[in-house]
Amino acid sequence: MGSGNRIYAPKLTQYDQWGRRIDELETSEGWRDLKAVSQKEGIPGIFYERRYREHSRSYGFAKMMLMVGDSHEVFCPLSMTDGSARVIELLGSKEMKEKILPRLISRDPTFAFTSGQWMTERPGGSDVSQTETVATPTGSNNAFGPQYTLHGFKWFSSATDSHISVALARTGSIKDGSRGLSLFLVPLRLPLFRNPSDPTPPSTSNNIFVHRLKNKIGTHTLPTAELSLESAEAYLIGGLNQGIKNISPVLNITRLWSAIASVGGLRKCLSIATAYSRVRTINGGTRLLCDAPLHVAQLAGISLVYRALTHLTFGVIRLLGKAECGVANEGELKRLRMLSPTVKAFAAEKACAGMEEAMTTLGGAGYMEENGFGRSIRDSLVEKIWEGTTTVLALDLARAAQGPTTLKSFISVSFSPPTQYQYKRLLLSKWVEEVLSKCPTDLRKQLQEALSILKDALSELGLSLRNPIAPLVPRPALMLTGYIASITLLLEHAIWSRERRNSDHDTDVEVVHRWAAEGGMLAAIEDVRRARRDGDVREKTDTLIAFGATERAKL
């Protein structure tokens, strides 16, 4: 489905032969088939059928993991479809829930809808406080809710071939910033519902115009466009001027899809690398690469990253499943809040580097376009950007940590008697304590070094995220949070593996040790400590290094 001539980049025809604006978007048969197969397999339907209750998320994402490496980013529109379905399930009107939600989660591709998500605009990018798109009430109520018309320009729409989209638009004053935004459901064509025998409405039937398709570094088969909305019909979702809060389920869900894309891309590249090592001969054809210790050590390092990211990602997926089914406790809900931005950024940063490393294990053959490394790496680079760059997500984590109980769900804090520096004494979080309580004494001794590093990491994270947070702390703190969560989940798995005497339980224990001692956690601790301790000085020197001694630009 995703190979050969069956899948190619989308094409846009803006005018017909008579000069009329038509904005016809042509996508490849392979792209449409990949979406259809995903829908038939229950993506995203599995998450709302909830046949396996809180484990439905884990089951559905596991199916995605098998496909994502060769999915040509088809999961991008499906991720936004999933997020939009959740928003409608939580906030939608009765008519939305009865008519639109079933289509968003349908397994029948001829019946199913896909959805986009339109936030990004030219003035602000991730800073939606500068949103210029204006929503004007029409004074009438559609069956789906209060009807508005939208006027504005959406700079980055990654599901231009969808049936609907959720979009932010301004209903308050520009001075209100993000507090003046509301969330809307926007049909891409009107009428939204029609008989199967009726012709497809024109692309411009809801006054939505495609200015151009984006010329991107990767994700070439994904139709990403710049759109103008010129009195486009839309329906309010949820309360007025609560758009940021109301769209947050979309962001939380799509960030997990992004993490799965990162991990799945790494899995594909690692599989190619390990398979190659089993057939490539060296030393005059007398030895296989898989028997060369130095080469195997390189593969083991990549596999270490893959194992850590897989456990971290599915650990957060498990929390999401419990939250959606109402069985998560307060600590798990707070931990989900902290780890949703963390897992997306951490997986993207680590997986991209791992994929490049896997490519090098094939030598010159790895650099050839035919083997798939090139497309996988180009496509995965976007995971560092969309749904929030690492820096943007780090700031989100910092905001989450300022909640009165959120940080305590991750690290418990108590105050020692006043000292010269008034340091906080950090105790292990309840979550880590629960995992450690199941760890046999002999295993604790075996992992003494790893557990000591984990304690240092928790202590440093608690110190760095106390209010007020130093300006340079959020990004290294996010990476350290990723390390802490991933090693705790690897430890949990190692304990489980040992209890059941799995044949590879010694390997699982060694993975915990290496991830703590060799995987970058020690450097992450030092990065946070440096940002907290030397932040004021580094801010000034950073400016000099980046811009030199020239006068800084001013607004």
Side-chain angles (χ1 to χ4, degrees):
M1 280 183 297
S3 60
N5 296 323
R6 297 195 70 255
I7 192 158
Y8 49 81
K11 300 176 183 178
L12 173 66
T13 302
Q14 289 182 297
Y15 298 92
D16 68 8
Q17 64 175 328
W18 309 113
R20 293 175 299 191
R21 188 74 181 263
I22 56 173
D23 286 357
E24 287 295 340
L25 180 65
E26 176 191 340
T27 56
S28 64
E29 183 181 8
W31 168 263
R32 296 192 299 273
D33 285 349
L34 284 168
K35 277 200 293 187
V37 166
S38 301
Q39 289 165 331
K40 288 178 182 177
E41 288 293 328
I43 300 172
I46 288 168
F47 307 138
Y48 299 89
E49 296 162 357
R50 298 194 175 102
R51 179 179 177 184
Y52 304 104
R53 292 202 39 80
E54 68 268 27
H55 306 297
S56 298
R57 280 284 173 186
S58 297
Y59 170 58
F61 274 105
K63 293 185 76 171
M64 289 164 52
M65 183 86 160
L66 299 176
M67 179 180 173
V68 69
D70 285 303
S71 67
H72 288 268
E73 295 298 324
V74 75
F75 288 151
C76 173
L78 292 177
S79 71
M80 291 183 281
T81 302
D82 180 10
S84 299
R86 182 60 175 162
V87 165
I88 291 176
E89 184 180 50
L90 292 172
L91 302 170
S93 64
K94 181 174 180 291
E95 197 79 4
M96 288 182 188
K97 292 178 181 179
E98 291 178 353
K99 290 192 174 181
I100 296 178
L101 179 58
R103 287 181 177 258
L104 293 174
I105 63 177
S106 174
R107 289 178 180 251
D108 179 2
T110 64
F111 178 77
F113 278 177
T114 55
S115 175
Q117 175 256 100
W118 300 341
M119 293 177 62
T120 307
E121 299 196 6
R122 288 175 291 190
S126 298
D127 180 9
V128 296
S129 67
Q130 299 186 60
T131 294
E132 294 176 329
T133 299
V134 175
T136 305
T138 64
S140 61
N141 271 345
N142 184 280
F144 297 119
Q147 185 173 318
Y148 286 71
T149 56
L150 304 189
H151 304 258
F153 198 96
K154 294 298 180 180
W155 183 242
F156 217 92
S157 66
S158 288
T160 313
D161 58 340
S162 293
H163 301 81
I164 65 169
S165 183
V166 293
L168 289 178
R170 187 163 300 285
T171 47
S173 167
I174 190 71
K175 296 178 181 179
D176 296 330
S178 59
R179 292 183 178 88
L181 301 179
S182 298
L183 183 62
F184 295 90
L185 185 146
V186 188
L188 269 78
R189 301 171 189 252
L190 290 175
L192 180 57
F193 297 97
R194 58 187 185 277
N195 296 322
S197 58
D198 292 343
T200 301
S203 297
T204 57
S205 54
N206 193 21
N207 299 315
I208 298 171
F209 299 93
V210 183
H211 282 247
R212 65 166 179 156
L213 295 177
K214 294 288 194 181
N215 184 17
K216 300 167 292 180
I217 290 174
T219 67
H220 292 153
T221 54
L222 173 65
T224 307
E226 298 170 13
L227 307 175
S228 64
L229 288 67
E230 303 175 15
S231 295
E233 185 174 310
Y235 321 114
L236 182 67
I237 302 177
L240 203 62
N241 298 327
Q242 296 181 31
I244 300 300
K245 175 184 176 182
N246 292 342
I247 204 171
S248 60
V250 180
L251 301 179
N252 292 333
I253 287 171
T254 54
R255 286 169 180 173
L256 276 175
W257 284 66
S258 174
I260 277 288
S262 295
V263 178
L266 178 59
R267 175 68 263 175
K268 175 185 176 180
C269 293
L270 179 58
S271 295
I272 295 172
T274 52
Y276 182 78
S277 73
R278 292 189 175 102
V279 297
R280 175 64 169 172
T281 59
I282 57 174
N283 295 352
T286 63
R287 192 182 194 189
L288 289 170
L289 265 179
C290 63
D291 295 323
L294 199 58
H295 188 83
V296 174
Q298 187 179 9
L299 293 176
I302 303 167
S303 183
L304 189 69
V305 175
Y306 168 70
R307 286 170 180 255
L309 296 184
T310 301
H311 281 277
L312 173 61
T313 302
F314 277 94
V316 183
I317 288 168
R318 181 174 61 183
L319 292 175
L320 177 64
K322 296 182 77 171
E324 290 182 341
C325 290
V327 296
N329 60 41
E330 184 180 357
E332 289 170 329
L333 292 174
K334 299 295 185 182
R335 200 155 68 244
L336 175 62
R337 174 66 184 92
M338 285 192 68
L339 292 181
S340 291
T342 300
V343 66
K344 186 269 185 187
F346 191 78
E349 293 286 340
K350 294 298 181 181
C352 285
M355 293 166 72
E356 293 173 6
E357 188 75 2
M359 178 180 68
T360 68
T361 65
L362 274 69
Y367 199 62
M368 299 299 103
E369 191 67 40
E370 296 92 334
N371 59 42
F373 277 112
R375 179 175 61 80
S376 294
I377 292 172
R378 285 193 300 271
D379 288 354
S380 290
L381 285 172
V382 80
E383 308 302 344
K384 291 187 176 186
I385 299 170
W386 62 15
E387 306 306 345
T389 64
T390 300
T391 297
V392 168
L393 294 172
L395 294 172
D396 187 32
L397 171 64
R399 284 191 296 271
Q402 296 309 291
T405 59
T406 303
L407 185 58
K408 289 183 180 180
S409 72
F410 205 76
I411 34 183
S412 301
V413 182
S414 66
F415 288 93
S416 60
T419 65
Q420 180 181 356
Y421 301 103
Q422 192 60 48
Y423 269 49
K424 292 181 180 178
R425 180 172 59 90
L426 277 299
L427 306 176
L428 290 176
S429 73
K430 185 178 180 181
W431 173 44
V432 179
E433 287 175 346
E434 288 174 353
V435 173
L436 281 175
S437 68
K438 301 172 185 176
C439 187
T441 303
D442 61 332
L443 183 56
R444 287 197 188 206
K445 291 181 179 179
Q446 191 175 349
L447 291 173
Q448 185 175 356
E449 181 184 6
L451 296 181
S452 176
I453 294 170
L454 174 59
K455 290 179 181 179
D456 288 346
L458 284 163
S459 176
E460 187 56 48
L461 186 67
L463 290 169
S464 65
L465 291 181
R466 61 181 178 179
N467 201 15
I469 298 175
L472 296 183
V473 159
R475 187 178 176 113
L478 179 142
M479 299 304 292
L480 186 56
T481 302
Y483 274 111
I484 291 171
S486 57
I487 196 173
T488 302
L489 290 161
L490 285 171
L491 175 62
E492 185 178 52
H493 174 74
I495 295 169
W496 173 88
S497 179
R498 188 182 179 93
E499 285 177 349
R500 284 156 182 76
R501 299 186 181 278
N502 288 352
S503 58
D504 56 353
H505 71 267
D506 287 335
T507 302
D508 295 327
V509 173
E510 179 65 13
V511 165
V512 176
H513 169 74
R514 290 197 187 188
W515 187 238
E518 304 171 18
M521 194 167 182
L522 288 168
I525 294 171
E526 185 56 35
D527 286 345
V528 173
R529 183 176 292 128
R530 188 183 301 112
R532 174 176 58 82
R533 183 189 58 208
D534 306 330
D536 291 342
V537 174
R538 293 184 71 87
E539 281 187 67
K540 297 176 182 178
T541 55
D542 283 349
T543 300
L544 292 172
I545 292 170
F547 303 108
T550 59
E551 186 176 349
R552 294 177 62 182
K554 298 179 180 179
L555 290 176

